[in-house]
Amino acid sequence: MRLLPHPSTENIQLTEVLRALSDPVRLEIVIRLAAAGEMTCTVAGDHLGVHKSTASHHYRTLREAGVVLTKQEGRLKYMSLRRDDLESRFPGCSTRS
């Protein structure tokens, strides 16, 4: 399993996180990940109403902002929220279930 490029915890910028979360499609992806934990990009993108290439753009935006961790196993990509990294970078800004 290999990790795709992500910003280190200390390089996550609040403005980039907020920009990534300002899109309704990306916010829906984050809500789904918060409820389910880790999931494949295919499952996370089900019923979003966007093309696969557009969904991929949203996944990359979330990853590059430091909101999600994406790892690849074969042809599948798995995403999960970077809750601990975001909480350590911006204490009190995240909510836990």
Side-chain angles (χ1 to χ4, degrees):
M1 189 170 315
R2 74 179 177 98
L3 286 177
L4 297 175
H6 297 82
S8 62
T9 302
E10 53 275 353
N11 287 330
I12 297 173
Q13 300 298 314
L14 185 58
T15 54
E16 291 303 308
V17 170
L18 295 175
R19 184 185 64 78
L21 296 175
S22 69
D23 184 276
V25 173
R26 291 192 289 265
L27 186 57
E28 177 62 27
I29 293 167
V30 169
I31 289 168
R32 291 176 183 192
L33 288 170
E38 185 178 76
M39 58 182 20
T40 65
C41 290
T42 303
V43 172
D46 282 347
H47 310 294
L48 285 177
V50 296
H51 290 283
K52 185 177 176 181
S53 60
T54 303
S56 293
H57 164 75
H58 289 306
Y59 303 150
R60 185 180 75 241
T61 300
L62 289 168
R63 178 176 47 83
E64 290 176 349
V67 177
V68 300
L69 178 72
T70 307
K71 54 188 176 182
Q72 186 165 356
E73 185 175 306
R75 295 180 69 181
L76 295 176
K77 291 181 182 171
Y78 293 88
M79 290 189 306
S80 59
L81 293 179
R82 292 180 66 178
R83 290 179 192 258
D84 292 338
D85 292 336
L86 291 168
E87 179 61 30
S88 70
R89 183 74 171 108
F90 312 109
C93 284
S94 67
T95 59
R96 297 219 172 234
S97 306

